[in-house]
PDB file of all heavy atoms in Angstrom:
ATOM      1  N   LEU A1059     -13.036 -13.962  19.616  1.00 80.00           N
ATOM      2  CA  LEU A1059     -11.672 -14.054  19.069  1.00 80.00           C
ATOM      3  C   LEU A1059     -11.627 -14.368  17.565  1.00 80.00           C
ATOM      4  O   LEU A1059     -10.831 -13.771  16.842  1.00 80.00           O
ATOM      5  CB  LEU A1059     -10.854 -15.083  19.836  1.00 80.00           C
ATOM      6  CG  LEU A1059      -9.985 -14.523  20.970  1.00 80.00           C
ATOM      7  CD1 LEU A1059      -9.239 -15.636  21.679  1.00 80.00           C
ATOM      8  CD2 LEU A1059      -8.992 -13.489  20.439  1.00 80.00           C
ATOM      9  N   PRO A1060     -12.449 -15.300  17.055  1.00 82.00           N
ATOM     10  CA  PRO A1060     -12.389 -15.555  15.601  1.00 82.00           C
ATOM     11  C   PRO A1060     -12.660 -14.294  14.777  1.00 82.00           C
ATOM     12  O   PRO A1060     -11.987 -14.042  13.777  1.00 82.00           O
ATOM     13  CB  PRO A1060     -13.489 -16.614  15.388  1.00 82.00           C
ATOM     14  CG  PRO A1060     -13.611 -17.296  16.709  1.00 82.00           C
ATOM     15  CD  PRO A1060     -13.369 -16.244  17.738  1.00 82.00           C
ATOM     16  N   ASP A1061     -13.654 -13.506  15.228  1.00 82.00           N
ATOM     17  CA  ASP A1061     -13.963 -12.274  14.505  1.00 82.00           C
ATOM     18  C   ASP A1061     -12.808 -11.279  14.614  1.00 82.00           C
ATOM     19  O   ASP A1061     -12.487 -10.572  13.652  1.00 82.00           O
ATOM     20  CB  ASP A1061     -15.249 -11.648  15.062  1.00 82.00           C
ATOM     21  CG  ASP A1061     -15.642 -10.392  14.303  1.00 82.00           C
ATOM     22  OD1 ASP A1061     -15.811 -10.470  13.079  1.00 82.00           O
ATOM     23  OD2 ASP A1061     -15.772  -9.331  14.952  1.00 82.00           O
ATOM     24  N   ILE A1062     -12.166 -11.221  15.776  1.00 80.00           N
ATOM     25  CA  ILE A1062     -11.028 -10.318  15.967  1.00 80.00           C
ATOM     26  C   ILE A1062      -9.891 -10.709  15.020  1.00 80.00           C
ATOM     27  O   ILE A1062      -9.268  -9.859  14.383  1.00 80.00           O
ATOM     28  CB  ILE A1062     -10.553 -10.346  17.436  1.00 80.00           C
ATOM     29  CG1 ILE A1062     -11.602  -9.694  18.334  1.00 80.00           C
ATOM     30  CG2 ILE A1062      -9.218  -9.634  17.591  1.00 80.00           C
ATOM     31  CD1 ILE A1062     -11.308  -9.813  19.815  1.00 80.00           C
ATOM     32  N   LYS A1063      -9.634 -12.018  14.916  1.00 83.00           N
ATOM     33  CA  LYS A1063      -8.580 -12.485  14.006  1.00 83.00           C
ATOM     34  C   LYS A1063      -8.874 -12.055  12.572  1.00 83.00           C
ATOM     35  O   LYS A1063      -7.994 -11.561  11.858  1.00 83.00           O
ATOM     36  CB  LYS A1063      -8.474 -14.009  14.064  1.00 83.00           C
ATOM     37  CG  LYS A1063      -7.816 -14.551  15.318  1.00 83.00           C
ATOM     38  CD  LYS A1063      -7.701 -16.067  15.233  1.00 83.00           C
ATOM     39  CE  LYS A1063      -7.007 -16.651  16.456  1.00 83.00           C
ATOM     40  NZ  LYS A1063      -6.861 -18.115  16.374  1.00 83.00           N
ATOM     41  N   ALA A1064     -10.138 -12.232  12.145  1.00 84.00           N
ATOM     42  CA  ALA A1064     -10.505 -11.873  10.769  1.00 84.00           C
ATOM     43  C   ALA A1064     -10.352 -10.374  10.540  1.00 84.00           C
ATOM     44  O   ALA A1064      -9.863  -9.935   9.492  1.00 84.00           O
ATOM     45  CB  ALA A1064     -11.946 -12.305  10.488  1.00 84.00           C
ATOM     46  N   ARG A1065     -10.750  -9.578  11.529  1.00 82.00           N
ATOM     47  CA  ARG A1065     -10.653  -8.116  11.387  1.00 82.00           C
ATOM     48  C   ARG A1065      -9.195  -7.664  11.331  1.00 82.00           C
ATOM     49  O   ARG A1065      -8.845  -6.759  10.571  1.00 82.00           O
ATOM     50  CB  ARG A1065     -11.368  -7.426  12.547  1.00 82.00           C
ATOM     51  CG  ARG A1065     -12.882  -7.448  12.434  1.00 82.00           C
ATOM     52  CD  ARG A1065     -13.523  -6.822  13.676  1.00 82.00           C
ATOM     53  NE  ARG A1065     -14.965  -6.842  13.569  1.00 82.00           N
ATOM     54  CZ  ARG A1065     -15.686  -5.867  13.026  1.00 82.00           C
ATOM     55  NH1 ARG A1065     -15.080  -4.801  12.537  1.00 82.00           N
ATOM     56  NH2 ARG A1065     -16.996  -5.940  12.972  1.00 82.00           N
ATOM     57  N   ILE A1066      -8.357  -8.290  12.145  1.00 82.00           N
ATOM     58  CA  ILE A1066      -6.930  -7.927  12.130  1.00 82.00           C
ATOM     59  C   ILE A1066      -6.336  -8.221  10.759  1.00 82.00           C
ATOM     60  O   ILE A1066      -5.612  -7.392  10.192  1.00 82.00           O
ATOM     61  CB  ILE A1066      -6.169  -8.685  13.242  1.00 82.00           C
ATOM     62  CG1 ILE A1066      -6.557  -8.132  14.626  1.00 82.00           C
ATOM     63  CG2 ILE A1066      -4.657  -8.574  13.043  1.00 82.00           C
ATOM     64  CD1 ILE A1066      -6.007  -8.930  15.792  1.00 82.00           C
ATOM     65  N   SER A1067      -6.651  -9.391  10.182  1.00 85.00           N
ATOM     66  CA  SER A1067      -6.130  -9.743   8.849  1.00 85.00           C
ATOM     67  C   SER A1067      -6.632  -8.765   7.794  1.00 85.00           C
ATOM     68  O   SER A1067      -5.874  -8.334   6.908  1.00 85.00           O
ATOM     69  CB  SER A1067      -6.554 -11.166   8.473  1.00 85.00           C
ATOM     70  OG  SER A1067      -6.030 -12.091   9.401  1.00 85.00           O
ATOM     71  N   GLN A1068      -7.913  -8.401   7.893  1.00 85.00           N
ATOM     72  CA  GLN A1068      -8.500  -7.473   6.932  1.00 85.00           C
ATOM     73  C   GLN A1068      -7.833  -6.096   7.012  1.00 85.00           C
ATOM     74  O   GLN A1068      -7.470  -5.505   5.995  1.00 85.00           O
ATOM     75  CB  GLN A1068     -10.002  -7.349   7.214  1.00 85.00           C
ATOM     76  CG  GLN A1068     -10.751  -6.448   6.264  1.00 85.00           C
ATOM     77  CD  GLN A1068     -12.212  -6.300   6.662  1.00 85.00           C
ATOM     78  OE1 GLN A1068     -12.664  -6.868   7.655  1.00 85.00           O
ATOM     79  NE2 GLN A1068     -12.958  -5.520   5.910  1.00 85.00           N
ATOM     80  N   GLN A1069      -7.659  -5.599   8.237  1.00 82.00           N
ATOM     81  CA  GLN A1069      -7.028  -4.289   8.423  1.00 82.00           C
ATOM     82  C   GLN A1069      -5.567  -4.319   7.969  1.00 82.00           C
ATOM     83  O   GLN A1069      -5.060  -3.354   7.389  1.00 82.00           O
ATOM     84  CB  GLN A1069      -7.095  -3.878   9.899  1.00 82.00           C
ATOM     85  CG  GLN A1069      -8.498  -3.569  10.397  1.00 82.00           C
ATOM     86  CD  GLN A1069      -9.038  -2.286   9.799  1.00 82.00           C
ATOM     87  OE1 GLN A1069      -8.320  -1.299   9.691  1.00 82.00           O
ATOM     88  NE2 GLN A1069     -10.290  -2.312   9.393  1.00 82.00           N
ATOM     89  N   LEU A1070      -4.898  -5.440   8.233  1.00 84.00           N
ATOM     90  CA  LEU A1070      -3.492  -5.559   7.849  1.00 84.00           C
ATOM     91  C   LEU A1070      -3.343  -5.482   6.335  1.00 84.00           C
ATOM     92  O   LEU A1070      -2.446  -4.790   5.818  1.00 84.00           O
ATOM     93  CB  LEU A1070      -2.928  -6.881   8.384  1.00 84.00           C
ATOM     94  CG  LEU A1070      -1.408  -7.049   8.346  1.00 84.00           C
ATOM     95  CD1 LEU A1070      -0.715  -5.921   9.081  1.00 84.00           C
ATOM     96  CD2 LEU A1070      -1.015  -8.392   8.960  1.00 84.00           C
ATOM     97  N   ALA A1071      -4.217  -6.164   5.614  1.00 86.00           N
ATOM     98  CA  ALA A1071      -4.166  -6.113   4.145  1.00 86.00           C
ATOM     99  C   ALA A1071      -4.428  -4.703   3.647  1.00 86.00           C
ATOM    100  O   ALA A1071      -3.762  -4.208   2.727  1.00 86.00           O
ATOM    101  CB  ALA A1071      -5.198  -7.088   3.564  1.00 86.00           C
ATOM    102  N   LYS A1072      -5.379  -4.033   4.269  1.00 85.00           N
ATOM    103  CA  LYS A1072      -5.733  -2.669   3.849  1.00 85.00           C
ATOM    104  C   LYS A1072      -4.556  -1.707   4.044  1.00 85.00           C
ATOM    105  O   LYS A1072      -4.201  -0.932   3.145  1.00 85.00           O
ATOM    106  CB  LYS A1072      -6.949  -2.201   4.648  1.00 85.00           C
ATOM    107  CG  LYS A1072      -7.297  -0.741   4.477  1.00 85.00           C
ATOM    108  CD  LYS A1072      -8.368  -0.321   5.472  1.00 85.00           C
ATOM    109  CE  LYS A1072      -8.449   1.196   5.557  1.00 85.00           C
ATOM    110  NZ  LYS A1072      -9.355   1.645   6.624  1.00 85.00           N
ATOM    111  N   PHE A1073      -3.936  -1.758   5.233  1.00 82.00           N
ATOM    112  CA  PHE A1073      -2.861  -0.813   5.522  1.00 82.00           C
ATOM    113  C   PHE A1073      -1.577  -1.161   4.764  1.00 82.00           C
ATOM    114  O   PHE A1073      -0.801  -0.270   4.411  1.00 82.00           O
ATOM    115  CB  PHE A1073      -2.595  -0.740   7.026  1.00 82.00           C
ATOM    116  CG  PHE A1073      -3.640   0.044   7.768  1.00 82.00           C
ATOM    117  CD1 PHE A1073      -4.409  -0.554   8.748  1.00 82.00           C
ATOM    118  CD2 PHE A1073      -3.857   1.376   7.476  1.00 82.00           C
ATOM    119  CE1 PHE A1073      -5.379   0.166   9.426  1.00 82.00           C
ATOM    120  CE2 PHE A1073      -4.818   2.107   8.149  1.00 82.00           C
ATOM    121  CZ  PHE A1073      -5.587   1.510   9.126  1.00 82.00           C
ATOM    122  N   ASN A1074      -1.362  -2.451   4.502  1.00 84.00           N
ATOM    123  CA  ASN A1074      -0.203  -2.816   3.676  1.00 84.00           C
ATOM    124  C   ASN A1074      -0.348  -2.263   2.262  1.00 84.00           C
ATOM    125  O   ASN A1074       0.616  -1.806   1.660  1.00 84.00           O
ATOM    126  CB  ASN A1074      -0.040  -4.337   3.635  1.00 84.00           C
ATOM    127  CG  ASN A1074       0.798  -4.859   4.800  1.00 84.00           C
ATOM    128  OD1 ASN A1074       1.750  -4.210   5.227  1.00 84.00           O
ATOM    129  ND2 ASN A1074       0.449  -6.020   5.313  1.00 84.00           N
ATOM    130  N   ALA A1075      -1.579  -2.318   1.737  1.00 83.00           N
ATOM    131  CA  ALA A1075      -1.819  -1.764   0.400  1.00 83.00           C
ATOM    132  C   ALA A1075      -1.597  -0.254   0.396  1.00 83.00           C
ATOM    133  O   ALA A1075      -0.994   0.299  -0.538  1.00 83.00           O
ATOM    134  CB  ALA A1075      -3.247  -2.090  -0.049  1.00 83.00           C
ATOM    135  N   GLU A1076      -2.069   0.425   1.440  1.00 78.00           N
ATOM    136  CA  GLU A1076      -1.869   1.873   1.515  1.00 78.00           C
ATOM    137  C   GLU A1076      -0.383   2.199   1.655  1.00 78.00           C
ATOM    138  O   GLU A1076       0.113   3.157   1.055  1.00 78.00           O
ATOM    139  CB  GLU A1076      -2.653   2.467   2.691  1.00 78.00           C
ATOM    140  CG  GLU A1076      -2.550   3.978   2.747  1.00 78.00           C
ATOM    141  CD  GLU A1076      -3.360   4.598   3.864  1.00 78.00           C
ATOM    142  OE1 GLU A1076      -4.089   3.862   4.555  1.00 78.00           O
ATOM    143  OE2 GLU A1076      -3.253   5.821   4.062  1.00 78.00           O
ATOM    144  N   LEU A1077       0.331   1.393   2.437  1.00 79.00           N
ATOM    145  CA  LEU A1077       1.763   1.630   2.625  1.00 79.00           C
ATOM    146  C   LEU A1077       2.513   1.473   1.306  1.00 79.00           C
ATOM    147  O   LEU A1077       3.426   2.240   0.996  1.00 79.00           O
ATOM    148  CB  LEU A1077       2.315   0.661   3.683  1.00 79.00           C
ATOM    149  CG  LEU A1077       3.763   0.893   4.128  1.00 79.00           C
ATOM    150  CD1 LEU A1077       3.918   2.287   4.722  1.00 79.00           C
ATOM    151  CD2 LEU A1077       4.181  -0.162   5.144  1.00 79.00           C
ATOM    152  N   ALA A1078       2.095   0.483   0.519  1.00 78.00           N
ATOM    153  CA  ALA A1078       2.734   0.296  -0.794  1.00 78.00           C
ATOM    154  C   ALA A1078       2.498   1.510  -1.686  1.00 78.00           C
ATOM    155  O   ALA A1078       3.393   1.951  -2.417  1.00 78.00           O
ATOM    156  CB  ALA A1078       2.184  -0.971  -1.456  1.00 78.00           C
ATOM    157  N   SER A1079       1.288   2.075  -1.615  1.00 73.00           N
ATOM    158  CA  SER A1079       0.991   3.260  -2.432  1.00 73.00           C
ATOM    159  C   SER A1079       1.777   4.475  -1.972  1.00 73.00           C
ATOM    160  O   SER A1079       1.988   5.417  -2.738  1.00 73.00           O
ATOM    161  CB  SER A1079      -0.504   3.564  -2.394  1.00 73.00           C
ATOM    162  OG  SER A1079      -0.885   4.105  -1.148  1.00 73.00           O
ATOM    163  N   LEU A1080       2.211   4.467  -0.712  1.00 71.00           N
ATOM    164  CA  LEU A1080       2.997   5.582  -0.176  1.00 71.00           C
ATOM    165  C   LEU A1080       4.496   5.370  -0.369  1.00 71.00           C
ATOM    166  O   LEU A1080       5.302   6.135   0.157  1.00 71.00           O
ATOM    167  CB  LEU A1080       2.692   5.771   1.318  1.00 71.00           C
ATOM    168  CG  LEU A1080       1.262   6.216   1.664  1.00 71.00           C
ATOM    169  CD1 LEU A1080       1.024   6.141   3.162  1.00 71.00           C
ATOM    170  CD2 LEU A1080       1.002   7.621   1.159  1.00 71.00           C
ATOM    171  N   GLY A1081       4.863   4.317  -1.082  1.00 69.00           N
ATOM    172  CA  GLY A1081       6.278   4.087  -1.379  1.00 69.00           C
ATOM    173  C   GLY A1081       6.970   3.170  -0.400  1.00 69.00           C
ATOM    174  O   GLY A1081       8.204   3.149  -0.350  1.00 69.00           O
ATOM    175  N   GLY A1082       6.220   2.415   0.399  1.00 70.00           N
ATOM    176  CA  GLY A1082       6.842   1.496   1.344  1.00 70.00           C
ATOM    177  C   GLY A1082       7.262   2.191   2.624  1.00 70.00           C
ATOM    178  O   GLY A1082       7.140   3.410   2.770  1.00 70.00           O
ATOM    179  N   PRO A1083       7.746   1.423   3.608  1.00 66.00           N
ATOM    180  CA  PRO A1083       8.096   1.992   4.923  1.00 66.00           C
ATOM    181  C   PRO A1083       9.121   3.116   4.852  1.00 66.00           C
ATOM    182  O   PRO A1083       9.072   4.056   5.632  1.00 66.00           O
ATOM    183  CB  PRO A1083       8.660   0.783   5.682  1.00 66.00           C
ATOM    184  CG  PRO A1083       8.143  -0.417   4.967  1.00 66.00           C
ATOM    185  CD  PRO A1083       7.976  -0.026   3.548  1.00 66.00           C
ATOM    186  N   MET A1084      10.046   3.038   3.912  1.00 58.00           N
ATOM    187  CA  MET A1084      11.101   4.045   3.831  1.00 58.00           C
ATOM    188  C   MET A1084      10.887   5.029   2.684  1.00 58.00           C
ATOM    189  O   MET A1084      11.721   5.887   2.421  1.00 58.00           O
ATOM    190  CB  MET A1084      12.471   3.356   3.642  1.00 58.00           C
ATOM    191  CG  MET A1084      12.795   2.314   4.696  1.00 58.00           C
ATOM    192  SD  MET A1084      12.813   3.026   6.356  1.00 58.00           S
ATOM    193  CE  MET A1084      14.232   4.110   6.212  1.00 58.00           C
ATOM    194  N   GLY A1085       9.750   4.913   1.981  1.00 59.00           N
ATOM    195  CA  GLY A1085       9.533   5.790   0.834  1.00 59.00           C
ATOM    196  C   GLY A1085      10.518   5.521  -0.279  1.00 59.00           C
ATOM    197  O   GLY A1085      11.062   6.434  -0.891  1.00 59.00           O
ATOM    198  N   ASP A1086      10.780   4.214  -0.540  1.00 57.00           N
ATOM    199  CA  ASP A1086      11.815   3.845  -1.504  1.00 57.00           C
ATOM    200  C   ASP A1086      11.377   4.135  -2.933  1.00 57.00           C
ATOM    201  O   ASP A1086      10.225   4.381  -3.225  1.00 57.00           O
ATOM    202  CB  ASP A1086      12.136   2.347  -1.374  1.00 57.00           C
ATOM    203  CG  ASP A1086      12.691   2.023   0.004  1.00 57.00           C
ATOM    204  OD1 ASP A1086      13.312   2.919   0.585  1.00 57.00           O
ATOM    205  OD2 ASP A1086      12.482   0.895   0.481  1.00 57.00           O
ATOM    206  N   GLY A1087      12.322   4.038  -3.843  1.00 54.00           N
ATOM    207  CA  GLY A1087      12.065   4.217  -5.267  1.00 54.00           C
ATOM    208  C   GLY A1087      12.892   5.357  -5.816  1.00 54.00           C
ATOM    209  O   GLY A1087      12.844   6.464  -5.293  1.00 54.00           O
ATOM    210  N   SER A1088      13.654   5.081  -6.873  1.00 53.00           N
ATOM    211  CA  SER A1088      14.486   6.143  -7.454  1.00 53.00           C
ATOM    212  C   SER A1088      13.588   7.142  -8.164  1.00 53.00           C
ATOM    213  O   SER A1088      12.542   6.797  -8.703  1.00 53.00           O
ATOM    214  CB  SER A1088      15.490   5.549  -8.435  1.00 53.00           C
ATOM    215  OG  SER A1088      14.827   5.053  -9.575  1.00 53.00           O
ATOM    216  N   SER A1089      14.041   8.401  -8.185  1.00 59.00           N
ATOM    217  CA  SER A1089      13.219   9.476  -8.730  1.00 59.00           C
ATOM    218  C   SER A1089      12.902   9.251 -10.203  1.00 59.00           C
ATOM    219  O   SER A1089      11.774   9.478 -10.647  1.00 59.00           O
ATOM    220  CB  SER A1089      13.918  10.818  -8.523  1.00 59.00           C
ATOM    221  OG  SER A1089      15.223  10.780  -9.084  1.00 59.00           O
ATOM    222  N   GLY A1090      13.900   8.794 -10.964  1.00 62.00           N
ATOM    223  CA  GLY A1090      13.672   8.568 -12.387  1.00 62.00           C
ATOM    224  C   GLY A1090      12.616   7.508 -12.638  1.00 62.00           C
ATOM    225  O   GLY A1090      11.727   7.676 -13.480  1.00 62.00           O
ATOM    226  N   ASN A1091      12.715   6.401 -11.898  1.00 76.00           N
ATOM    227  CA  ASN A1091      11.743   5.318 -12.078  1.00 76.00           C
ATOM    228  C   ASN A1091      10.337   5.765 -11.713  1.00 76.00           C
ATOM    229  O   ASN A1091       9.362   5.379 -12.364  1.00 76.00           O
ATOM    230  CB  ASN A1091      12.137   4.104 -11.229  1.00 76.00           C
ATOM    231  CG  ASN A1091      13.379   3.419 -11.771  1.00 76.00           C
ATOM    232  OD1 ASN A1091      13.747   3.636 -12.923  1.00 76.00           O
ATOM    233  ND2 ASN A1091      14.024   2.614 -10.938  1.00 76.00           N
ATOM    234  N   VAL A1092      10.226   6.567 -10.661  1.00 78.00           N
ATOM    235  CA  VAL A1092       8.903   7.038 -10.235  1.00 78.00           C
ATOM    236  C   VAL A1092       8.266   7.875 -11.335  1.00 78.00           C
ATOM    237  O   VAL A1092       7.095   7.689 -11.691  1.00 78.00           O
ATOM    238  CB  VAL A1092       9.011   7.853  -8.924  1.00 78.00           C
ATOM    239  CG1 VAL A1092       7.690   8.545  -8.621  1.00 78.00           C
ATOM    240  CG2 VAL A1092       9.409   6.956  -7.766  1.00 78.00           C
ATOM    241  N   VAL A1093       9.030   8.811 -11.895  1.00 82.00           N
ATOM    242  CA  VAL A1093       8.483   9.686 -12.931  1.00 82.00           C
ATOM    243  C   VAL A1093       8.121   8.888 -14.179  1.00 82.00           C
ATOM    244  O   VAL A1093       7.046   9.077 -14.766  1.00 82.00           O
ATOM    245  CB  VAL A1093       9.488  10.812 -13.271  1.00 82.00           C
ATOM    246  CG1 VAL A1093       9.017  11.596 -14.498  1.00 82.00           C
ATOM    247  CG2 VAL A1093       9.656  11.745 -12.090  1.00 82.00           C
ATOM    248  N   LEU A1094       8.991   7.959 -14.580  1.00 85.00           N
ATOM    249  CA  LEU A1094       8.691   7.139 -15.758  1.00 85.00           C
ATOM    250  C   LEU A1094       7.421   6.324 -15.560  1.00 85.00           C
ATOM    251  O   LEU A1094       6.564   6.251 -16.440  1.00 85.00           O
ATOM    252  CB  LEU A1094       9.874   6.203 -16.055  1.00 85.00           C
ATOM    253  CG  LEU A1094      11.070   6.798 -16.801  1.00 85.00           C
ATOM    254  CD1 LEU A1094      12.170   5.770 -16.932  1.00 85.00           C
ATOM    255  CD2 LEU A1094      10.641   7.303 -18.169  1.00 85.00           C
ATOM    256  N   SER A1095       7.304   5.707 -14.383  1.00 85.00           N
ATOM    257  CA  SER A1095       6.144   4.841 -14.138  1.00 85.00           C
ATOM    258  C   SER A1095       4.856   5.655 -14.083  1.00 85.00           C
ATOM    259  O   SER A1095       3.813   5.216 -14.582  1.00 85.00           O
ATOM    260  CB  SER A1095       6.329   4.040 -12.846  1.00 85.00           C
ATOM    261  OG  SER A1095       6.382   4.907 -11.731  1.00 85.00           O
ATOM    262  N   VAL A1096       4.902   6.864 -13.500  1.00 86.00           N
ATOM    263  CA  VAL A1096       3.678   7.653 -13.389  1.00 86.00           C
ATOM    264  C   VAL A1096       3.274   8.205 -14.756  1.00 86.00           C
ATOM    265  O   VAL A1096       2.079   8.311 -15.067  1.00 86.00           O
ATOM    266  CB  VAL A1096       3.822   8.785 -12.341  1.00 86.00           C
ATOM    267  CG1 VAL A1096       4.653   9.941 -12.865  1.00 86.00           C
ATOM    268  CG2 VAL A1096       2.455   9.300 -11.920  1.00 86.00           C
ATOM    269  N   ILE A1097       4.246   8.536 -15.603  1.00 88.00           N
ATOM    270  CA  ILE A1097       3.917   8.993 -16.962  1.00 88.00           C
ATOM    271  C   ILE A1097       3.255   7.862 -17.742  1.00 88.00           C
ATOM    272  O   ILE A1097       2.238   8.057 -18.417  1.00 88.00           O
ATOM    273  CB  ILE A1097       5.181   9.488 -17.694  1.00 88.00           C
ATOM    274  CG1 ILE A1097       5.657  10.813 -17.091  1.00 88.00           C
ATOM    275  CG2 ILE A1097       4.913   9.655 -19.185  1.00 88.00           C
ATOM    276  CD1 ILE A1097       6.981  11.305 -17.648  1.00 88.00           C
ATOM    277  N   THR A1098       3.826   6.668 -17.624  1.00 90.00           N
ATOM    278  CA  THR A1098       3.255   5.507 -18.327  1.00 90.00           C
ATOM    279  C   THR A1098       1.854   5.205 -17.816  1.00 90.00           C
ATOM    280  O   THR A1098       0.921   4.980 -18.603  1.00 90.00           O
ATOM    281  CB  THR A1098       4.161   4.278 -18.137  1.00 90.00           C
ATOM    282  OG1 THR A1098       5.476   4.591 -18.588  1.00 90.00           O
ATOM    283  CG2 THR A1098       3.615   3.086 -18.900  1.00 90.00           C
ATOM    284  N   GLU A1099       1.700   5.211 -16.484  1.00 89.00           N
ATOM    285  CA  GLU A1099       0.388   4.912 -15.903  1.00 89.00           C
ATOM    286  C   GLU A1099      -0.640   5.954 -16.331  1.00 89.00           C
ATOM    287  O   GLU A1099      -1.766   5.616 -16.707  1.00 89.00           O
ATOM    288  CB  GLU A1099       0.486   4.874 -14.371  1.00 89.00           C
ATOM    289  CG  GLU A1099      -0.833   4.509 -13.698  1.00 89.00           C
ATOM    290  CD  GLU A1099      -0.736   4.473 -12.174  1.00 89.00           C
ATOM    291  OE1 GLU A1099       0.353   4.761 -11.640  1.00 89.00           O
ATOM    292  OE2 GLU A1099      -1.757   4.171 -11.533  1.00 89.00           O
ATOM    293  N   PHE A1100      -0.248   7.234 -16.298  1.00 88.00           N
ATOM    294  CA  PHE A1100      -1.197   8.297 -16.642  1.00 88.00           C
ATOM    295  C   PHE A1100      -1.643   8.184 -18.098  1.00 88.00           C
ATOM    296  O   PHE A1100      -2.845   8.247 -18.397  1.00 88.00           O
ATOM    297  CB  PHE A1100      -0.561   9.670 -16.394  1.00 88.00           C
ATOM    298  CG  PHE A1100      -1.448  10.819 -16.776  1.00 88.00           C
ATOM    299  CD1 PHE A1100      -2.377  11.327 -15.884  1.00 88.00           C
ATOM    300  CD2 PHE A1100      -1.367  11.390 -18.043  1.00 88.00           C
ATOM    301  CE1 PHE A1100      -3.211  12.369 -16.251  1.00 88.00           C
ATOM    302  CE2 PHE A1100      -2.198  12.432 -18.415  1.00 88.00           C
ATOM    303  CZ  PHE A1100      -3.117  12.922 -17.507  1.00 88.00           C
ATOM    304  N   THR A1101      -0.683   8.041 -19.015  1.00 90.00           N
ATOM    305  CA  THR A1101      -1.047   8.009 -20.432  1.00 90.00           C
ATOM    306  C   THR A1101      -1.874   6.767 -20.768  1.00 90.00           C
ATOM    307  O   THR A1101      -2.799   6.837 -21.587  1.00 90.00           O
ATOM    308  CB  THR A1101       0.212   8.066 -21.313  1.00 90.00           C
ATOM    309  OG1 THR A1101       1.167   7.102 -20.851  1.00 90.00           O
ATOM    310  CG2 THR A1101       0.849   9.437 -21.250  1.00 90.00           C
TER     311      THR A1101
END
C-alpha cells in the first residue's frame, strides 16, 4: 500500500501537468491570450 500511494501521487502530478498543457479540463483560455502567449514564448 505505501508504494501504491506514492505511485498514485506521482501519476496524479504527471497527468495534472499534461492536462494543464492541454488547456485544462474544459480547454479554457481566450483565443487572443493563447496567441499572444505562444508568440511571446516562441520568440
Side-chain angles (χ1 to χ4, degrees):
L1059 265 179
D1061 182 57
I1062 291 173
K1063 286 183 178 181
R1065 284 176 180 270
I1066 289 172
S1067 299
Q1068 182 184 0
Q1069 292 290 318
L1070 193 56
K1072 171 189 165 187
F1073 284 119
N1074 273 324
E1076 184 178 355
L1077 187 60
S1079 73
L1080 294 171
M1084 305 301 294
D1086 298 331
S1088 69
S1089 55
N1091 290 342
V1092 170
V1093 171
L1094 280 177
S1095 64
V1096 76
I1097 289 174
T1098 304
E1099 182 180 2
F1100 178 86
T1101 49

